[in-house]
Amino acid sequence: MTMHNARHTRAYTGAPNTIIAGDVNLYYRDWGRGRPVLFVSGWSMCSDSWGYQMMALCRRGLRCIAFDRRGHGRSSDPGGGYDLDTLADDIAAVIEALDLRDVVLVGHSMGCNEIVRYLTRHGSACVRQVALLGPMTPGITLSPSNPHGVDPALLEQFRSSELLHDFPRWIEENLEPFVPGAGPRMRDWLAQMALQCSLQALHDCNVAVQASDMGAELEAVDVPVLLIAGARDVSAPLDLTARRTAALVPDCRLVIHEDAAHGMFLTHVEQVNGELLEFIRAEG
């Protein structure tokens, strides 16, 4: 895979559960032993959201690591670096600091964009497999190459009138489409994660996803990919994201849950965990 010039910042572990890379402290959790699986959360989520996957996989002999994106969860908010290049370099910092080899990368939503950019910038030498859940790739914005995309004006309207005006209300109104049928405690938990994020991080990460067009990068992915999508996903509509992504990645298996939405890893825990475990084991 062709690599672009990446940031070369020595990363190392600092205080307990902290990786220090340049101007950012990244909180991480590391459970179990065995082949490493590194989880990258979606927009407004943090490492807490992966608990059901991590518990299931580490009990099956895998080492499960998840970290909080800068400006999210327990990681520091450095006031910048919310572009995909820098976020991908943060993934590289985690891999370097924990000396991960033959790692399986698992991403959700925006985390899928970061994983693909990591592969573009840093290559796949340390990576064995990739799993993408509800990806926002290859791109969601209306453009000549994406005629069915979302009008950029609508995305800007979300940022100006919802995110920067009444984000708590937007979260409350959009939890049902994210995790249909989830109970009130689950919704409260997810809302609390989102509301603890840096508002700048949420804004700038949303801009980064809007601006991304990753078709060529997907075509260059040179490791096996499992793609899990929900047919009821309104955040990343199936035909706009998952189907197009699967058509571009050379070695990709697409699994569609007809009754699942964007938060399928929370509403369809047993199915998703089983698919991840089968995929990881299939490659030896």
Side-chain angles (χ1 to χ4, degrees):
M1 177 178 292
T2 302
M3 291 179 285
H4 298 293
N5 291 329
R7 182 186 65 190
H8 295 287
T9 300
R10 182 67 183 172
Y12 57 96
T13 54
N17 296 98
T18 302
I19 290 168
I20 300 173
D23 60 352
V24 64
N25 294 342
L26 298 172
Y27 172 85
Y28 73 98
R29 51 188 62 194
D30 188 348
W31 299 349
R33 296 181 182 276
R35 178 178 300 165
V37 183
L38 177 61
F39 294 87
V40 185
S41 306
W43 181 82
S44 82
M45 296 288 100
C46 64
S47 58
D48 293 4
S49 65
W50 290 114
Y52 301 128
Q53 283 68 51
M54 293 178 67
M55 283 297 295
L57 269 60
C58 76
R59 289 182 174 186
R60 297 298 187 95
L62 296 167
R63 177 186 177 189
C64 295
I65 306 112
F67 72 101
D68 293 348
R69 180 186 293 107
R70 58 173 62 206
H72 291 60
R74 300 170 181 82
S75 290
S76 58
D77 179 11
Y82 299 109
D83 57 281
L84 287 181
D85 284 353
T86 304
L87 295 170
D89 291 346
D90 287 346
I91 295 176
V94 174
I95 290 174
E96 176 188 354
L98 299 180
D99 193 27
L100 304 181
R101 298 291 181 268
D102 283 338
V103 65
V104 181
L105 299 178
V106 181
H108 172 246
S109 192
M110 176 186 174
C112 301
N113 299 62
E114 293 166 80
I115 287 173
V116 173
R117 183 58 53 86
Y118 165 82
L119 293 171
T120 302
R121 287 174 65 79
H122 297 273
S124 58
C126 296
V127 179
R128 189 179 186 92
Q129 300 157 282
V130 167
L132 306 176
L133 282 61
M136 303 298 284
T137 55
I140 61 168
T141 307
L142 178 68
S143 69
S145 63
N146 190 16
H148 301 293
V150 180
D151 186 340
L154 294 178
L155 299 171
E156 175 54 36
Q157 182 180 5
F158 156 70
R159 290 191 292 269
S160 61
S161 64
E162 302 287 351
L163 178 60
L164 300 182
H165 181 68
D166 195 344
F167 185 52
R169 183 186 69 181
W170 184 87
I171 286 290
E172 182 179 2
E173 292 175 348
N174 285 273
L175 278 170
E176 174 61 23
F178 181 66
V179 284
R185 297 303 183 191
M186 171 70 79
R187 296 186 187 196
D188 289 346
W189 177 54
L190 294 172
Q192 191 63 29
M193 270 190 266
L195 294 172
Q196 288 179 340
C197 294
S198 155
L199 192 60
Q200 183 193 31
L202 293 174
H203 177 277
D204 291 1
C205 285
N206 186 267
V207 171
V209 171
Q210 175 183 334
S212 65
D213 182 357
M214 314 191 81
E217 293 175 73
L218 290 168
E219 290 178 337
V221 172
D222 58 359
V223 294
V225 173
L226 171 66
L227 202 163
I228 304 175
R232 297 175 59 189
D233 194 331
V234 296
S235 300
L238 184 62
D239 289 338
L240 181 62
T241 58
R243 290 195 191 280
R244 293 173 61 221
T245 296
L248 290 166
V249 175
D251 183 359
C252 181
R253 176 180 172 230
L254 173 61
V255 176
I256 299 172
H257 292 281
E258 295 296 335
D259 60 342
H262 201 49
M264 84 291 288
F265 65 105
L266 298 168
T267 59
H268 293 61
V269 172
E270 296 300 327
Q271 297 96 313
V272 169
N273 290 352
E275 287 151 5
L276 287 173
L277 189 60
E278 179 184 6
F279 173 64
I280 294 169
R281 287 180 167 175
E283 297 296 322

